[in-house]
Amino acid sequence: MAGLDSLFLARLQFAFTVGFHIVFPAFSIGLAAFLAVLEGLWLKTGRQVYLDLFRYWLHTFSIVFGMGVVSGLVMSYEFGTNWARFSQKVGPILGPLLGYEVMTAFFLEAGFLGIMLFGMNRVGPKLHFFATCVVSLGTLISMSWILASNSWMQTPQGYTMEAGTGRFIPHDWWAIIFNPSFPFRLVHMALAAFLSVALLVGGVGAWHLLRARRAGQQPTEAVRIMFSMAMWMAAIVAPVQILAGDTQGLNTLKYQPAKIAAMEGDWESESYAPELLFGIPDMQNEVTRYRIAIPYAGSLILTHSLSGKVPGMKDYPRDQRAPSYVVFFSFRIMVLLGMLMAVLGFYSVWLRWRGRLWSDVLLQRAALIMAPAGFIALLCGWVTTEVGRQPFTVYGLLRTADSVSPVPGGAVAGTLVSFVIVYFIVFASGISILLRGFMKEPHVNEAAPDRHQPQRAAAMAAPISDTIPPSRPTREGE
């Protein structure tokens, strides 16, 4: 029983820490790209409003990036304290992949982050824009290495098993990195990050539009542009994300059919399978109760054929089934939110065509409510992916029970309680700072993070803000 307790607590602790962490890298990925677009538009058009929006969201990025780094450090220690057996067996593969992430992405981000945050008054506008683009690129590279590592755990290949130790020894690095699920999950995650930030930006813009309406004032140009850009992003990316999710579903059906069975709540494999809109999977009695289903839709969605065969959980031994009651609901929440995002985007396009984008209260209230929806859907997708892989850490090869460290349950419980207390204090403070910042609308000549930093020596060129009109960027030498 002690071993089972240790396993449960170790899984709970890792789920808690990674659940906090995954939001902030996704936030950084989407926001860094948004900042690069804003600064690029400022350089291209010379309009001060884009620079103001860039500086406004740069404050948020500085906080989010720091919170992501802090929350990620804890997980690296957990691999040694709680998952030592896992680290020992998969270390030859995951160790280099995570090392490449540090060398190619983290160093890149760290090298240019200072210029991005504090260099606006110290370097030329083109060099600063280059730094912003490099930081954005670094976040995407980091995501790629992390997803390559996790995707290999989902669809492992390119390895050999070491006799006696059971360690995974790399045999083909190209096969390891570009494993069957990696391209699909990379696209799905990148789109999720962009869409999550777009909805948050749109929610902040909607808040200020509604507040201006209540005050009987006209919204500022910065607020209108911020809201418009967010709605364009939602209208374009949400439908693409649905298509990306469909392709990933086909890939999962091919390589992880047991996960699909758990997600769908199906017990018997069948052709012309229905799609369950609702139900309560009963793992003990092997039945899904209170079913609400659409006939034939399950086969059509999963196989793109009405007669396609959908797997059932009874095709697999009981000890190899994922807990359907978790992934069944997490998957449906993710899909529902994705559909609502698409509806929000299409509605904004219709209102834009009617000339009512900034005056429609229903759209603004919906955008405000949907502000956190992207991150909620992202978390539900992560739960579906990781819990659906159970009871394995390396799908079909290494069980979770064989991956945990031989440590007492009390020790794991103690650190778990400590993490919960510290995380809620630290991250509640950080999130409250972000919310207070969102409640302040961007204004003309928005202050940059380095506004109050010491200026460079007089022998060097004067700060950008002191040498050019706020309405346009300058070229070097002007």
Side-chain angles (χ1 to χ4, degrees):
M1 181 60 70
L4 292 177
D5 290 341
S6 297
L7 173 61
F8 173 77
L9 291 170
R11 291 176 63 187
L12 183 61
Q13 183 180 111
F14 196 80
F16 175 79
T17 52
V18 76
F20 267 88
H21 172 70
I22 194 174
V23 170
F24 297 108
F27 202 159
S28 298
I29 292 165
L31 190 54
F34 183 53
L35 289 171
V37 170
L38 288 173
E39 190 169 11
L41 288 172
W42 172 60
L43 289 173
K44 181 177 177 61
T45 66
R47 295 177 62 184
Q48 175 69 24
V49 64
Y50 291 120
L51 179 60
D52 292 335
L53 284 172
F54 172 84
R55 288 172 166 171
Y56 177 83
W57 286 104
L58 188 60
H59 289 278
T60 298
F61 182 82
S62 63
I63 298 172
V64 169
F65 189 90
M67 295 171 73
V69 172
V70 170
S71 60
L73 288 174
V74 175
M75 294 189 299
S76 62
Y77 288 103
E78 288 184 47
F79 281 121
T81 57
N82 295 348
W83 303 101
R85 290 171 177 165
F86 170 81
S87 300
Q88 181 185 28
K89 293 184 178 182
V90 305
I93 290 180
L94 295 193
L97 292 180
L98 297 178
Y100 297 151
E101 187 263 340
V102 172
M103 290 188 294
T104 61
F106 190 75
F107 286 174
L108 194 67
E109 294 169 347
F112 287 89
L113 183 64
I115 300 175
M116 179 185 177
L117 294 179
F118 307 113
M120 180 66 80
N121 291 336
R122 291 164 173 76
V123 300
K126 292 182 180 179
L127 179 56
H128 189 273
F129 177 58
F130 175 76
T132 303
C133 292
V134 169
V135 171
S136 179
L137 177 63
T139 62
L140 293 172
I141 294 174
S142 177
M143 175 191 67
S144 300
W145 285 115
I146 296 299
L147 282 179
S149 304
N150 187 268
S151 296
W152 179 84
M153 295 162 61
Q154 303 282 342
T155 51
Q157 64 176 22
Y159 65 91
T160 58
M161 300 291 290
E162 186 177 62
T165 64
R167 294 200 308 163
F168 295 85
I169 306 301
H171 172 69
D172 183 348
W173 280 109
W174 284 106
I176 290 172
I177 296 171
F178 297 100
N179 58 79
S181 64
F182 170 67
F184 301 95
R185 300 182 71 234
L186 179 66
V187 171
H188 198 51
M189 182 63 187
L191 292 175
F194 298 149
L195 188 55
S196 297
V197 171
L199 288 172
L200 181 65
V201 172
V204 174
W207 163 264
H208 292 296
L209 287 171
L210 290 169
R211 189 167 67 172
R213 172 183 288 272
R214 287 194 298 269
Q217 302 172 348
Q218 290 295 321
T220 64
E221 182 184 20
V223 169
R224 294 198 306 271
I225 289 178
M226 177 169 61
F227 184 72
S228 176
M229 292 177 70
M231 291 300 100
W232 271 127
M233 195 69 176
I236 295 170
V237 177
V240 176
Q241 178 69 308
I242 293 174
L243 295 177
D246 178 66
T247 59
Q248 185 176 343
L250 295 175
N251 178 266
T252 305
L253 177 62
K254 180 178 180 179
Y255 292 98
Q256 296 178 294
K259 178 187 291 188
I260 289 292
M263 290 164 52
E264 293 299 315
D266 293 324
W267 292 95
E268 306 284 350
S269 59
E270 58 179 324
S271 301
Y272 302 99
E275 174 65 23
L276 300 187
L277 298 179
F278 180 80
I280 301 179
D282 184 341
M283 298 294 292
Q284 185 66 32
N285 296 307
E286 298 184 333
V287 65
T288 298
R289 305 184 186 279
Y290 311 110
R291 292 162 47 108
I292 301 177
I294 302 177
Y296 311 120
S299 292
L300 182 61
I301 293 172
L302 288 170
T303 69
H304 294 182
S305 171
L306 284 175
S307 60
K309 190 173 184 179
V310 176
M313 280 182 280
K314 288 184 179 181
D315 295 344
Y316 310 94
R318 283 180 177 267
D319 64 350
Q320 294 184 19
R321 299 173 186 171
S324 180
Y325 48 83
V326 176
V327 296
F328 181 88
F329 287 105
S330 63
F331 175 70
R332 277 153 182 77
I333 293 172
M334 178 187 68
V335 171
L336 175 61
L337 290 175
M339 299 298 292
L340 291 176
M341 295 174 202
V343 171
L344 179 69
F346 291 147
Y347 184 52
S348 72
V349 171
W350 184 74
L351 290 175
R352 192 187 300 270
W353 178 66
R354 297 290 300 272
R356 295 167 47 198
L357 180 67
W358 296 294
S359 61
D360 190 86
V361 177
L362 177 60
L363 174 66
Q364 294 162 16
R365 289 176 177 172
L368 181 60
I369 294 172
M370 290 289 290
F375 295 110
I376 296 173
L378 187 148
L379 282 170
C380 289
W382 168 76
V383 169
T384 302
T385 298
E386 301 307 310
V387 178
R389 182 183 58 195
Q390 296 302 314
F392 300 100
T393 49
V394 180
Y395 187 74
L397 298 170
L398 179 62
R399 298 182 70 91
T400 308
D402 298 326
S403 303
V404 71
S405 301
V407 295
V412 183
T415 55
L416 174 59
V417 172
S418 301
F419 284 157
V420 170
I421 295 173
V422 172
Y423 269 52
F424 274 108
I425 293 175
V426 173
F427 291 107
S429 301
I431 292 172
S432 67
I433 293 173
L434 290 175
L435 293 176
R436 287 200 298 270
F438 295 156
M439 294 180 69
K440 300 176 182 178
E441 71 177 34
H443 54 270
V444 178
N445 294 323
E446 180 77 28
D450 62 342
R451 176 61 62 87
H452 302 296
Q453 298 295 322
Q455 300 298 326
R456 54 185 176 179
M460 302 175 68
I464 292 176
S465 58
D466 295 338
T467 59
I468 63 172
S471 60
R472 68 177 183 92
T474 185
R475 297 177 180 176
E476 295 183 74
E478 286 188 341

